[in-house]
Amino acid sequence: MAGRHPNHYWKSLQERGAWVKSPAEGEEKFSELLEFAPGQFARRDFLKAAGFTFLSAVLNGCQRAPVEKAIPYLVKPEEIIPGHAYFYASTCRGCSAGCGLLVKDRDGRPIKLEGNPEHPLSKGGLCAVGQASILGLYDSRRMLHPLRDGKESAWDEVDRNITGKLEEIRKNGGAVRFLSDSIASPTTLANLNAFLGGFPNARHIVYDPLSCSAIPDAYEHTHGMRLLPRFRFDRAEVVVSLDADFLGTWISPVEYTAGYQTARKLEANPPRFSYHVQLESRMSITGSKADERIRIAPQELGLVVTQLAALLASHAPIPFPIDGIQPPAVPRQALEKVAQRLWEAKGRSLVVCGSQDVSTQVLCNFINHLLESYGATIDLKFPSHQRQGNDRELQSLLEELREGKIAALFISGVNPVYDLPEGDQLAPLLRRVPLVVSLDGKPNETIELAHYVCPNHHYLESWGDQEPVSGVVSLLQPCMRPLGNTRALLESLAAWMGTPKPAYDILRENWQAKVFPRQTKESSFQVFWDHAVHDGFVELDKTPAISAQSFATSSIHPILSAPALEKGEFALVLYPKVGILDGRHAENPWLQELPDPITKVTWDNYACLSPATAAEMRVSEGDLVRLAAGDDPKALELPVVIQPGQHDQVVAVALGYGGKTTERFAGMGPRWLQGKSTVGETGRVGVSAAPWLQLADGGLQYWRAPVKLQSTGKHLALASTQTHHRIEIPQHLATPGTERRPVIQETPLQAYLDDVRSGKQWEEKQHQDLWPQDHSYTGHRWAMVIDLNACTGCSACVIACQAENNVPVVGKDEVRRRRIMHWIRMDRYYAGDDAEVAVAHQPMLCQHCENAPCETVCPVLATVHDAEGLNQQIYNRCVGTRYCSNNCPYKVRRFNWFDYPHEDRLENLAFNPDVTVRSRGVMEKCSFCVQRIQEAKIEAKRKGEPLRDGDLQTACQQSCPAGAIVFGDKNDGNSRVSQLLRSSRRYHVLEEINVRPSIGYLKLVRHRSEGQEGERRG
Amino acid sequence: MNSLVLTVVLGVGLTFAVVFFGWSVSPRLPGNQQGYEPVQPIAYSHRLHAQELQIGCLYCHFGSEKSRHAGIPPANVCMNCHRFVIASLGAIRAEHEQADQQKRQPQTVVSPELRKLYEAMGLNQDRQPEPGRPSNPVAWVQVHKLPDFVYFDHRAHVNAGVECQRCHGPVETMERVRQVEDLSMGWCVNCHREVNQTGVAGKPVEASIDCDTCHF
């Protein structure tokens, strides 16, 4: 089956089933029948009422336009021009990776976040979570005042009480603990250490809800130092990842994506194309990009790593006895091939492991040592500070809490009652602590238990710094005045130390004392500081921060056996989703509505099962299954999602759901007669899987076995967009020759390299055309190229577009009705059979066709073509016939079925003032960021300069961490887009229907050659 | 029952027709604000400042060259002169004459309109800044208001050489600002079509008539 149609991509299992069976049998229905409740109003009464209302509305309209006031500044800041956007460099605190940021300010407040293109780590990319984090600033449920026992208080009262209690504790020698997430800020760490130093028994305990603490623990064994290295994917020609989702959620995905793409530049001279092997249990976006993907069960990871280490050791050759090793389920031949590839690329290869088992990580270190990666693709001299969690210290803290030994507990940046496996048991323990102070501003499970809440500013309101990797120190600067009466963490600590000082002063002093001396470029601190604030970061002189010992082989313990799973038993894998991560932004509606890049489900978490397992259990998508483990009384009930490519013994459940902060989504979306609530019966979005984590073996473990699954017979409708807006024709409507449309095209690497060598370029195919080609584009001709090879499916573009263009959130029920509003969507296709699938991601947006089918059918000409190649959508002219969307073959047009609620005036501050907020009854779609095009053109005219390539970027292009989207002027032969359009890899989606889209896609390049289909590993 | 409904509908329709046509002799389209001359919070006279005193448009409305919005000047621009100029020369002379006649010291004369400006700025009676005194930005009534779905950009026009009076009329002659043109889309597009042929101030221009030039 797979061999016959290698390039036949399918989106869902029903789709695949449809063209395998005969048309009569496996007919795919357009959608499941949506319920229509009998209306309470009879139609005629409704029309009568409408008629009278209409008349009175018209009467009211016959008036002068309402009076509008124009209110200028009293004293305008000299450098501000109203209507201009000003960009300030800062650092993203959406997660702990610390990507560089450029914050777009309008009218004194941030409205959009962009990556800082000069930042050495993120290189201008910004992930979906980073883009969405601006909503956290305008969150009306944020805590804006200090609280005392849940009631609003004032800072001096709170400070007085806290310092009083701390004084007592200091006298009695009580234990003070500061529990936080990874703090990579040198200034905060310095001040925190000073604060804690004032107590005889004080400690700072760090944990990451998405912990990789086994890695530093392993380095402590092998190199004598506890550190997290910096992984240099840009220097690796062969990458082997053992269950590490480094392009999606592991440690620093934007940085790793940028590095990974550097090693895969097909347009470089000479072309570079790394080889990536992924061994994992569930389908992740990293696995979807791998050239070779091997399914393993989580309990076998240790065995596989041992086997791989033994193979590499035999290449070396050095002795590595593994007698009595249980043969892993992965065929030896596959591992031998991987080992061979790695060995051939010694010194240019990288093996990363996402396991939380220290022995496995030690073996991974050993493999990298054999491959001479240290100093080449793994940087130990300038390590990363992006994840500093120490799960062993967390365990001892929990122990101390159980014994009631803590006198004061400060909590910042973490939600342990939610995050940790025994979180519900933590609540009574915290109540016993005499002083609990929370330094967070978001109402969550942990804050409720705090005696004092001293909310920190949002990071966009803060002065601060961040050192994500040693030697790169970036700054945070406030991009607006704090919205409420919050106070910076630095200031709170200073106040409690008895030396209150503004955060800016504390930061500057620390930089003058500690950061400025680490560089030699500038001799004046003021100049250095000004440059740092302008650029957003400084790169310090390259004196190594760390000098680790050489490798200690005594620490290696091969893993020779793995627990076996019996039939009917499963391994539960808990993983973070790309949009939700550990749930710290679960209150963000943009992220909740972002379709997961692999499963395409919104607003829910679920249990992923492989197709074989689902067939065996006789469950289909949406059926509820109950997870239970041994004697554990708790059970987890979740809807099933069938995941091709997942290991048959694995059930995968996402973390981050079911938190208290999601209760706000009860009224999400338009409220109408047949609308259903976004939240489930629990009143929350999804179900929390955190209780199923385990804090064992010195680390937070993200898998457990055995668990048992049981079908409950109940069903939950999931809001999955995977079959929505399909470009394929349903089988029963297809004419001969159109059954399969080559939406995703690929080419073998060798064929592409041959094309490059022979200088072959893209050739325009001539089609029969009814329309005369008499539109001459004499000025600009906007076009876009999307490199399918570079795209990882991370969906940063989706959120960037939503932020830039005021795209509304519709809620779970509307998503189920195929009414999601994203202007750019990430289509995910599979190829192959159920077990071994190849995955392709394709960003799909308005193609701005020259022969646009939508333009010819609009009865009011609300969508017409402009002189620069854009397909325009004029909202004020649109009457809502929806004929254009009907005619669009790409199904990229979005209709506003409702006036989506925008009553939260604080949240409305995040709107882009340059883009209309569409009302009900109006069609919208990607406009190629026409507001940015107009701004760039007018500014260029004002300055009297020509518009240069690169001056203008669409929102999706600007945010993409992989640089997969390139936009520019096709009429400029030297522009990047023109160069890419000449590539032999270029093709257009649905080229054959001759709509002449302005967006060219670059074919996926696969390492294998034609005819190697049957060799897909089992 | 049916005839009652019919009567009500016809009655409402008739009322509507009467109201609509009786509104004015020449009914205008809703939203047409031609001739709009609202009372402003401070009786600022363009005739005095722009014509008599020859202050250029761009001195106050600097935004029109650099931004989409021309903007009404912030109060600190007014204060550039009105720190010193607190009343008209005539009023001061009159006060001095009276003082001479009455054999007393002349009092400081402050124009009542300028007093409004000083109060807005939060200055005290002696026109000095006083910390803690409430200030209130001046809420001007917007005269030339385009609908929200139009994104008009002043920069493009000013930098192309279109003079302010072309669209705003002879503002320098107005005591109170009045909307002279109807600012309808047809009027804008006509001008665009014209200048694509004739140019502006002798220079050729590209004034796009694509919809998304203004509607996005």
Side-chain angles (χ1 to χ4, degrees), chain A residues 209-248:
Chain A
L210 299 176
S211 175
C212 59
S213 66
I215 301 179
D217 289 343
Y219 277 94
E220 197 168 23
H221 287 296
T222 58
H223 288 81
M225 288 204 69
R226 194 165 193 283
L227 57 80
L228 178 70
R230 184 177 168 196
F231 297 107
R232 302 299 302 259
F233 286 91
D234 50 325
R235 296 184 184 157
E237 281 175 24
V238 177
V239 175
V240 173
S241 168
L242 301 149
D243 214 10
D245 184 16
F246 62 87
L247 295 176

Side-chain angles (χ1 to χ4, degrees), chain A residues 80 218 489 501 738 751:
Chain A
I80 300 288
L489 174 61
K501 208 188 271 185
T738 61

Side-chain angles (χ1 to χ4, degrees), chain A residues 871-922:
Chain A
N871 173 279
Q872 310 166 90
Q873 181 65 39
I874 312 304
Y875 309 119
N876 44 302
R877 205 171 161 94
C878 175
V879 289
T881 44
R882 308 188 290 280
Y883 199 163
C884 55
S885 166
N886 200 32
N887 229 24
C888 175
Y890 304 97
K891 291 290 171 268
V892 285
R893 287 176 153 273
R894 298 283 165 268
F895 187 68
N896 284 275
W897 292 94
F898 297 93
D899 262 329
Y900 298 106
H902 290 300
E903 284 127 22
D904 188 338
R905 298 191 66 181
L906 185 60
E907 201 177 273
N908 290 352
L909 290 179
F911 278 147
N912 184 350
D914 288 334
V915 178
T916 308
V917 178
R918 284 76 57 189
S919 77
R920 181 186 63 207
V922 158

Side-chain angles (χ1 to χ4, degrees), chain B residues 10 23 64 110 119 125 163 173 195:
Chain B
L10 283 176
W23 195 268
S64 56
V110 182
E119 262 170 38
Q125 290 292 80
E163 61 166 12
T173 62
V195 298

Side-chain angles (χ1 to χ4, degrees), chain A residues 68 70 82 84 872 916 939, chain B residues 66-67 140 142 155 212 216:
Chain A
E68 295 253 359
H84 257 233
Q872 310 166 90
T916 308
E939 270 296 297
Chain B
K66 303 202 180 102
S67 155
W140 302 96
Q142 200 170 355
R155 264 177 304 186
D212 63 7
F216 47 79

Side-chain angles (χ1 to χ4, degrees), chain A residues 154-166:
Chain A
W155 282 111
D156 48 3
E157 187 194 332
V158 163
D159 285 341
R160 230 176 319 128
N161 291 344
I162 291 179
T163 41
K165 288 222 173 81
L166 287 176

Side-chain angles (χ1 to χ4, degrees), chain A residues 764 769 773 781 847-851 994-998:
Chain A
E764 173 134 15
D769 208 342
Q773 295 303 317
R781 170 76 175 94
Q847 304 282 297
H848 293 271
C849 312
E850 270 184 57
N851 289 344
N994 199 28
V995 290
R996 302 170 67 90
S998 302

Side-chain angles (χ1 to χ4, degrees), chain A residues 59 64 68-70 72-74 76 82 84 866-867 872 874 913-916 930 934-935 938-939 942, chain B residues 16 33 62 65-68 72 74-76 120 138 140 142 145 149 151 153 155 159 210-213 216:
Chain A
L59 282 176
R64 267 223 134 95
E68 295 253 359
K69 300 291 176 86
Y73 283 100
L74 271 180
K76 182 184 80 74
H84 257 233
D866 86 351
Q872 310 166 90
I874 312 304
D914 288 334
V915 178
T916 308
V930 65
Q934 297 299 351
E935 176 74 27
I938 292 178
E939 270 296 297
R942 179 180 78 81
Chain B
F16 160 64
Q33 300 266 65
F62 45 82
E65 219 182 7
K66 303 202 180 102
S67 155
R68 216 174 83 207
I72 294 179
N76 62 300
V138 182
W140 302 96
Q142 200 170 355
K145 177 90 184 85
F149 48 79
Y151 287 86
D153 198 312
R155 264 177 304 186
N159 288 309
D210 286 329
C211 307
D212 63 7
T213 311
F216 47 79

